[in-house]
Amino acid sequence: MDIQRFLKFFKVGWRIYRDPLLESSHSSIYYWREQMKAMALFTTTEERLLPYRSTWHTLAFFIMFKTYYFCWYGDELDQVISDLDALHPWAQKGPHPVEYQTGKRWYFVMAFFLATLWSFFLCIFLLLLITSPMWVHQQNLPFHAAFPFQWHDKSLHPISHAMIYLFQSYFAVYCLTWLLCIEGLSVFIYAEITFGIEVLCLELRHIHRHNHGPKELRMETNRLVKLHQKIVEILDRTNDVFHGTLIMQMGVNFSLVSLSVLEAVEARKDPKVVAQFAVLMLLALGHLSMWSYCGDLLSQKSLQISEAAYEAYDPTKGSKDVYRDLCVIMTRGQKPMIMRANPFPSFNLINYSAILNQCYGILTFLLKTLD
């Protein structure tokens, strides 16, 4: 694993946060991909990690599914990232560009803080998981497992037990760190598309800043029509690439939030076990919250495109071709862009609230059943 390559995003993010005038030469998803490349030696080994609770089974299945899924769709995902990074920062180059720096900085710093926050909670969770044999009764490994000749028994085979302990600890760290990277990469692909939408709106609202003649104005509106179409095409390709994982997201997050709370209530007499599942619940809830927030932001910003195109209309300037281009953008912009995997509902804050209500209902039923 290339540590320097992995930490590059955090170093660049910290410098940009400290210096408001500093700009990143790449989008945040470029650095998320660099982190994935730094972990290129990853191999799936969750089959050997046998969790002792249904929550861990769900999490292990989620990691395995994501691993194989992105190995299968790796080329398509890499092409989406390359296309987005090539278009970044989306604004037309040349004299008097639109003021996109504020939005660019906001999205990059948000990615940096999200990565830092998730990493912090992940470290706490891994610390609790790896040290669990020290304080959980009748557990001598991070994950319950049975090996031939009782190699997992510390009293009979201390050397083999130590090797198994190190093996499980290393791959727990590796798998969950990989999951952090792929989730950050995935969610900020949609954030980068949202940033592209914001820049498109800025370009439309300030389309007359250059005092173009009819011919130049026609070329500019034609460019913006193509940019809008490019954004729609990239979003469609992204939804296709993430189709399987978006479906899995809803089911797994729904299960993890419900089960982790249930496990914590079951083990309420052991505060350390409760802390372990509480951190897992916060990670699952934060994960679902971020996806829902980015999906909602994407939809809300996309609806502003038609408004921006309407503001760009000036009957004293342009020609029929210019007005036709603006009408095309207005017509397309009336349909919101969504993060969705058919036939399931889209990711937004409304559906997020519905999922939490369902989690609460199921949890209440399970707790009454246990009582």
Side-chain angles (χ1 to χ4, degrees), residues 29-48:
I29 58 175
Y30 172 85
Y31 293 103
W32 285 110
R33 182 171 61 177
E34 288 297 294
Q35 288 185 330
M36 294 296 297
K37 290 179 179 179
M39 302 182 67
L41 296 178
F42 174 77
T43 55
T44 57
T45 56
E46 288 80 10
E47 299 86 44
R48 301 188 187 183

Side-chain angles (χ1 to χ4, degrees), residues 72-140:
W72 188 264
Y73 286 96
D75 292 338
E76 291 86 348
L77 176 62
D78 189 64
Q79 187 60 50
V80 168
I81 296 169
S82 297
D83 289 347
L84 286 171
D85 198 57
L87 288 168
H88 189 82
W90 299 89
Q92 175 78 346
K93 297 179 181 178
H96 310 295
V98 294
E99 203 284 307
Y100 64 85
Q101 289 83 359
T102 302
K104 177 180 178 178
R105 173 180 166 78
W106 187 85
Y107 280 101
F108 196 93
V109 172
M110 181 176 68
F112 165 66
F113 274 107
L114 178 68
T116 304
L117 185 63
W118 277 0
S119 299
F120 173 74
F121 278 105
L122 186 63
C123 288
I124 295 176
F125 175 72
L126 286 170
L127 182 63
L128 291 170
L129 179 65
I130 292 171
T131 60
S132 59
M134 302 176 187
W135 41 266
V136 177
H137 183 59
Q138 293 183 343
Q139 184 175 349
N140 56 6

Side-chain angles (χ1 to χ4, degrees), residues 198 200-208 304 307-308 311-312:
E198 287 191 11
L200 173 62
C201 291
L202 285 173
E203 294 271 15
L204 284 166
R205 290 189 174 105
H206 298 87
I207 195 171
H208 301 293
Q304 296 179 9
E307 297 176 9
E311 292 177 23

Side-chain angles (χ1 to χ4, degrees), residues 161-221:
H161 170 270
M163 294 176 65
I164 294 170
Y165 181 89
L166 292 174
F167 171 82
Q168 289 192 352
S169 300
Y170 173 78
F171 278 102
V173 172
Y174 210 100
C175 292
L176 291 176
T177 304
W178 180 91
L179 184 63
L180 169 70
C181 294
I182 193 62
E183 289 303 316
L185 173 66
S186 303
V187 77
F188 275 95
I189 285 178
Y190 287 98
E192 180 65 20
I193 295 173
T194 306
F195 174 55
I197 292 171
E198 287 191 11
V199 174
L200 173 62
C201 291
L202 285 173
E203 294 271 15
L204 284 166
R205 290 189 174 105
H206 298 87
I207 195 171
H208 301 293
R209 66 188 183 279
H210 293 296
N211 295 318
H212 286 314
K215 185 177 181 181
E216 291 79 8
L217 187 60
R218 163 61 175 162
M219 292 174 62
E220 182 68 5
T221 56

